[in-house]
């Protein structure tokens, strides 16, 4: 039986977003989303994130039969802190016209559901506590902490400008404010640093290249945050603008797999060894073919992925002796590689060189030599 939340997501249409965001704000929104993705991946929670749909970011536990939903509004400021008065002021002409009214709008539309509305900013929040003292918070949940009556009065007054009383009882328990410590000027470095730390955990301390993963995440979120084609199929629109835990985990696995040190990092030692039994021109040719194969495989070219799979399957057919020289290992493996006849011997040797370097690196990282991947996994 479909959940009541799923039915609402099918029936309710989001407010149409008004125009493009300023570049700096959109960048901050995307960078915050990447930080949020890493935070969520560190948990066991199932999740799907959707971008610029109902709010800057929403998170549900499932698209098939969701039971929880979070709405996240992201806004930056150059100076100062946020206060309850500040989030209660009008920021737009059309209702809901204030930050807090936009949060209340979600509470109304999704009344009775397990929901939470967050307002996130690079600035801190000052809230008047129950005794009247002003306290600076990195995170404040109105549903878990007591506040001064005047603060609730400010919130209600702002909402009543856009919604007729009576308001939903205790609606403020559904909202929270949160500070993201990432500054406006160091967004890229902060985000890449977070990704690097998480990749280090996944790869057990191996140095993984962060740039390809960062660019893939940024571009994916940017594309899904673009102008939406407004249709009558709300659930399909939601799916088009979203990415789930499974897809993200696959993306991070790919980053670990192809971001590990490759033959490119080892080429200096390889060249020294090969130069003892190979002429300079042949050595240059092998290096050129290996670089070309590596680039095509990382780019997901079908021919390179197929050759990569063939080479790795060949490892299971031979007894690899790590004490052999690199050229002997290449020749040993290339003899049993099954190809479709398109690749030349030189190209197969180059692929063997690349894969041999990475197989031994993977074996060291993951403690197994059983690493002949399926082709569909390579394409992931």
């Amino acid at each position: 039986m479909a959940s009541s939340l799923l039915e609402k997501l099918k029936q309710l249409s989001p407010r149409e977003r008004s125009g493009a965001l300023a570049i700096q704000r959109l960048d901050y929104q995307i960078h915050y989303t990447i930080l949020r993705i890493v935070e969520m991946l560190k948990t066991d929670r199932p999740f799907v994130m959707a971008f610029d749909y109902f709010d800057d970011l929403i998170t549900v536990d499932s698209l098939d039969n969701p039971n929880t939903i979070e709405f996240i509004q992201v806004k930056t400021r150059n100076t100062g802190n946020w206060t309850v008065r500040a989030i209660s002021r009008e920021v737009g002409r059309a209702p809901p016209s204030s930050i807090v009214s936009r949060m209340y709008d979600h509470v109304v539309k999704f009344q009775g559901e397990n929901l939470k509305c967050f307002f996130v900013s690079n600035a801190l929040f000052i809230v008047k506590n129950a005794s009247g003292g002003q306290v600076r918070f990195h995170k404040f949940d109105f549903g878990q902490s007591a506040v001064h009556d005047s603060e609730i009065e400010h919130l209600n007054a702002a909402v009543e400008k856009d919604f007729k009383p009576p308001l939903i009882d205790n609606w403020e328990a559904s909202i929270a404010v949160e500070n993201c410590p990432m500054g406006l000027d160091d967004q890229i470095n902060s985000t890449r640093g977070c990704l690097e730390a998480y990749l280090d955990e996944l790869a057990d301390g191996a140095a993984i290249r962060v740039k390809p993963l960062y660019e893939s995440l940024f571009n994916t979120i940017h594309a899904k945050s673009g102008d939406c084609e407004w249709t009558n199929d709300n659930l399909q629109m939601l799916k088009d603008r979203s990415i789930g835990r499974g897809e993200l985990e696959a993306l991070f696995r790919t980053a670990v797999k192809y971001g590990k040190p490759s033959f490119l990092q080892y080429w200096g030692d390889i060249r020294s060894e090969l130069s003892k039994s190979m002429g300079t021109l042949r050595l240059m040719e092998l290096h050129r073919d290996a670089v070309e194969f590596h680039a095509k495989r990382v780019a997901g070219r079908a021919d390179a992925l197929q050759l990569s799979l063939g080479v790795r399957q060949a490892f299971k057919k031979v007894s690899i002796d790590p004490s052999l020289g690199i050229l002997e290992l290449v020749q040993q493996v290339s003899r049993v590689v099954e190809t479709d006849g398109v690749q030349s011997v030189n190209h197969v040797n180059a692929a063997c060189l690349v894969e041999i370097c990475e197989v031994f690196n993977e074996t060291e990282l993951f403690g197994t030599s059983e690493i002949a991947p399926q082709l569909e996994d390579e394409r992931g």
Side-chain angles (χ1 to χ4, degrees):
M1 181 178 178
S3 67
S4 58
L5 178 54
L6 179 62
E7 292 303 318
K8 288 177 181 176
L9 289 171
K10 287 180 179 179
Q11 297 167 10
L12 295 172
S13 297
R15 290 183 298 109
E16 191 164 348
R17 310 292 281 182
S18 56
L21 295 172
I23 292 177
Q24 188 181 53
R25 183 188 163 196
L26 177 59
D27 283 357
Y28 193 91
Q29 184 175 310
I30 294 175
H31 287 129
Y32 167 77
T33 300
I34 295 175
L35 299 182
R36 182 82 172 181
I37 285 171
V38 173
E39 178 183 327
M40 294 292 288
L41 287 176
K42 289 181 178 181
T43 72
D44 295 327
R45 291 172 54 188
F47 68 90
V48 177
M49 289 184 174
F51 316 106
D52 268 344
Y53 192 83
F54 282 110
D55 221 322
D56 295 329
L57 174 66
I58 69 170
T59 303
V60 293
D61 56 337
S62 166
L63 283 182
D64 297 325
N65 205 31
N67 291 297
T68 64
I69 186 168
E70 294 176 345
F71 300 90
I72 302 173
Q73 188 177 166
V74 182
K75 193 173 183 64
T76 61
R77 63 186 306 165
N78 295 321
T79 59
N81 301 308
W82 289 100
T83 63
V84 169
R85 283 180 178 269
I87 65 173
S88 301
R89 295 192 189 104
E90 292 184 1
V91 292
R93 295 179 180 177
S97 58
S98 65
I99 292 169
V100 69
S101 285
R102 292 171 183 176
M103 299 168 85
Y104 183 78
D105 187 45
H106 300 319
V107 176
V108 171
K109 289 178 178 176
F110 292 86
Q111 186 175 1
E113 303 299 338
N114 185 2
L115 86 158
K116 199 73 178 183
C117 303
F118 292 91
F119 175 62
V120 176
S121 179
N122 62 312
L124 292 173
F125 294 87
I126 295 178
V127 180
K128 190 181 293 185
N129 60 23
S131 61
Q134 291 192 334
V135 184
R136 185 178 298 177
F137 291 94
H138 286 279
K139 184 173 182 178
F140 189 89
D141 189 328
F142 286 86
Q144 296 181 1
S145 304
V147 296
H148 197 267
D149 290 343
S150 63
E151 299 285 61
I152 302 301
E153 291 172 4
H154 285 308
L155 294 174
N156 287 334
V159 172
E160 287 175 355
K161 291 179 180 179
D162 297 316
F163 298 87
K164 291 182 179 180
L167 303 181
I168 295 172
D169 186 46
N170 199 35
W171 69 269
E172 67 275 3
S174 298
I175 70 173
V177 292
E178 184 176 324
N179 163 249
C180 175
M182 175 177 62
L184 291 175
D185 296 329
D186 63 348
Q187 298 177 47
I188 295 177
N189 289 336
S190 295
T191 305
R192 291 179 63 166
C194 176
L195 289 173
E196 183 176 4
Y198 186 53
L199 288 174
D200 282 349
E201 292 180 28
L202 296 179
D204 197 24
I208 305 297
R209 291 182 297 127
V210 173
K211 184 179 178 181
L213 175 62
Y214 164 78
E215 291 180 347
S216 180
L217 286 169
F218 188 96
N219 292 334
T220 297
I221 296 169
H222 189 279
K224 290 178 178 290
S225 299
D227 292 336
C228 180
E229 181 182 350
W230 299 95
T231 70
N232 294 325
D233 191 342
N234 294 327
L235 197 57
Q236 186 57 52
M237 279 200 298
L238 176 59
K239 291 177 179 178
D240 291 342
R241 305 185 77 92
S242 65
I243 187 168
R245 183 184 188 105
E247 297 170 272
L248 289 164
E249 286 179 335
L251 186 59
F252 275 77
R253 285 197 300 270
T254 300
V256 170
K257 183 172 186 177
Y258 290 129
K260 295 185 300 294
S262 69
F263 89 101
L264 296 170
Q265 282 73 41
Y266 302 135
W267 177 248
D269 294 332
I270 294 171
R271 179 177 56 190
S272 297
E273 181 180 334
L274 291 179
S275 62
K276 299 174 183 177
S277 55
M278 186 180 293
T280 301
L281 292 179
R282 178 67 189 95
L283 188 60
M284 292 171 60
E285 184 180 48
L286 178 63
H287 180 257
R288 181 201 64 202
D289 292 342
V291 170
E292 180 182 13
F293 165 77
H294 183 266
K296 288 182 177 179
R297 193 201 61 185
V298 171
R301 287 277 297 272
D303 54 346
L305 294 176
Q306 186 68 53
L307 181 54
S308 171
L309 178 62
V311 171
R312 288 182 175 239
Q313 288 176 335
F315 287 131
K316 304 186 75 173
K317 301 177 182 179
V318 297
S319 179
I320 300 296
D321 183 357
S323 66
L324 294 176
I326 187 68
L327 183 58
E328 294 173 290
L329 287 172
V330 167
Q331 293 171 341
Q332 184 180 6
V333 173
S334 65
R335 292 192 195 102
V336 294
V337 174
E338 296 181 6
T339 69
D340 55 10
V342 175
Q343 293 90 356
S344 67
V345 173
N346 290 344
H347 284 107
V348 173
N349 286 339
C352 288
L353 173 64
V354 173
E355 300 293 346
I356 283 172
C357 291
E358 295 183 359
V359 159
F360 281 112
N361 186 55
E362 289 166 357
T363 303
E364 179 182 351
L365 284 176
F366 302 107
T368 175
S369 58
E370 298 295 321
I371 45 178
Q374 296 299 313
L375 183 58
E376 56 266 29
D377 291 335
E378 296 280 357
R379 287 173 176 163

